Amino acid sequence: MSEALDLVKALIAFDTTSRGSNLSLIDFAEELLEKSGARCRRSYDASGAKANLFATIGPAGEKGEMDGGFVLSGHTDVVPVDGQDWASDPFRPEVREGRLYGRGACDMKGFIGVALALAPEMARTKLARPIHFALSYDEEVGCVGVQTLLNDLKKAGIKPALAIIGEPTLMKIVGAHKGGAVLVTRCRGHEHHSSAPEKGANAVMMAGEFVALLDDVWEGLKADDDPRFDPPHSTVQANKIAGGSAVNILAREAEVTWEYRALPDRDAAAIVETVKHRAAVEILPKYRARAAEAAFETDCRASYPGLVMDPESPALRLARAITGANQAEAVSYGTEAGHFQQAGIPAVICGPGSIDQAHRPDEFVALRELAACEAFLRKLIAKASAV
Ligand SMILES: [Zn+2]
């Protein structure tokens, strides 16, 4: 356990906030995995400043890595600490009262550190099927890196049998999550003196009506519910708004950043279409009548698919066999699991720490959670050794 704890601490000390490079952490993990004989491959983002690492310990199939194996998946990036009030330096991990504090402690360097610490043990064990590490970049900005990683695996003909996504679940098994997207709607208006509101199109007022529309769309989504989720329906929220230049000028531009979180087996694209259509017919005509250039323009900045509960999933079966649990939960936050499932790799989420501590000041993971994760992964190694 002390090796695992040291490794988690070492990972936290790399500031891998999504806006920066993650290469120092990737170099560190790759060197460590290679010492255990892992076969490593990287895939990069367009800038070359961020990389995914995919590493394999254990036997290669007849056609290279074709023959299955278990993926341990974790994202290397963390959310910013800007403006948060921390009791200690977020990038200098500290143990206090049975908890390890630091940015990424539970989301999700705890899981990655414990998994890396077991690499030498995996190398010593006679594995019947490989264990893979999938360490991604840019998860926190919309599951961007994992898509590059999965494309790279597809091109290389690598088809793992299943994936364990180590996001914080207090080591419970999560078999389903909502899908989501980040969207930006630009409201284009026409500037004019604000004493004559009908001679221009006020983009801030348009934005206000647009936000009210989102609220109404959310209300409409409540009719379709799945009690496994909390909240049990798809949601729509506007979380950021900007626009206007002065109190006495009708705003030319305003921008609303919004999101949906959709039940996993529903048509999420229909939510966006509904919003666009209703904005065009219910809000826009009034402003168009005042200024021809009035418009709503919506772009999708990032999206991730939901994870659909599949009781027959080999990932779920393995996680159940290891933990003895016969229940799998459903959650409303997104993870890379949906992308794995969509790529034909069954996935479950199971990792140390609580999602309640993720993204917050004084993020921590309880040491007993790290120990439970280590015990889980030891059993997984045993399963990978069984013929
Ligand atoms: Zn995470």
Side-chain angles (χ1 to χ4, degrees), residues 75 107 139-140 167:
H75 62 81
D107 186 15
E139 188 270 350
E140 296 290 5
E167 291 275 359

Side-chain angles (χ1 to χ4, degrees), residues 30-335:
E30 185 174 65
E31 201 187 311
L32 208 135
L33 284 160
E34 280 180 338
K35 277 189 196 144
S36 294
R39 305 180 291 285
C40 297
R41 56 187 300 127
R42 290 186 184 200
S43 45
Y44 286 88
D45 77 336
S47 75
K50 298 175 182 182
N52 299 304
L53 178 66
F54 187 81
T56 302
I57 298 177
E62 281 164 29
K63 301 172 199 151
E65 315 284 6
M66 286 284 285
D67 296 358
F70 305 156
V71 175
L72 304 178
S73 158
H75 62 81
T76 60
D77 60 322
V78 294
V79 294
V81 296
D82 308 348
Q84 294 187 339
D85 189 17
W86 282 69
S88 56
D89 184 336
F91 299 106
R92 295 184 67 172
E94 254 185 51
V95 174
R96 301 194 297 270
E97 289 160 8
R99 294 166 167 182
L100 174 65
Y101 287 86
R103 173 53 87 223
C106 72
D107 186 15
M108 52 184 298
K109 291 175 171 174
F111 176 80
I112 298 174
V114 173
L116 286 176
L118 289 170
E121 207 168 302
M122 294 170 193
R124 282 196 301 273
T125 309
K126 208 172 159 5
L127 296 177
R129 51 189 68 76
I131 295 178
H132 314 277
F133 290 76
L135 308 183
S136 64
Y137 64 83
D138 276 0
E139 188 270 350
E140 296 290 5
V141 291
C143 293
V144 176
V146 71
Q147 301 180 55
T148 313
L149 184 144
L150 288 166
N151 283 337
D152 177 60
L153 294 190
K154 193 175 170 196
K155 262 188 264 160
I158 301 172
K159 285 188 193 139
L162 58 89
I164 310 286
I165 318 296
E167 291 275 359
T169 65
L170 292 168
M171 295 310 294
K172 289 182 189 142
I173 305 167
V174 170
H177 67 66
K178 289 181 180 174
V182 178
L183 298 113
V184 174
T185 296
R186 267 178 312 281
C187 311
R188 294 206 188 284
H190 181 79
E191 276 174 316
H192 200 275
H193 195 290
S194 62
S195 60
E198 292 188 353
K199 291 190 175 164
N202 186 341
V204 167
M205 300 290 272
M206 290 172 72
E209 291 196 44
F210 183 77
V211 171
L213 169 67
L214 293 180
D215 195 50
D216 197 53
V217 169
W218 173 26
E219 206 53 48
L221 289 168
K222 290 180 180 173
D224 175 20
D225 72 343
D226 179 339
R228 291 175 298 183
F229 290 87
D230 177 24
H233 49 264
S234 303
T235 56
V236 175
Q237 288 293 296
N239 299 322
K240 221 173 124 194
I241 188 162
S245 57
V247 72
N248 50 10
I249 300 174
L250 300 181
R252 192 181 54 200
E253 247 178 46
E255 204 175 82
V256 180
T257 304
W258 57 286
E259 62 163 17
Y260 68 73
R261 291 173 184 261
L263 294 171
D265 41 5
R266 306 300 201 277
D267 181 6
I271 298 175
V272 180
E273 286 316 308
T274 301
V275 169
K276 281 190 192 169
H277 176 74
R278 289 189 54 188
V281 301
E282 294 173 27
I283 307 173
L284 192 59
K286 180 169 84 187
Y287 294 95
R288 269 277 160 84
R290 298 172 190 169
E293 65 263 53
F296 290 106
E297 290 161 9
T298 299
D299 288 328
C300 181
R301 291 283 161 89
S303 69
Y304 56 88
L307 177 67
V308 182
M309 186 76 82
D310 171 13
E312 299 305 313
S313 153
L316 207 56
R317 253 186 276 138
L318 176 73
R320 278 184 179 148
I322 289 175
T323 59
N326 47 26
Q327 267 323 358
E329 301 190 4
V331 296
S332 291
Y333 57 87
T335 79

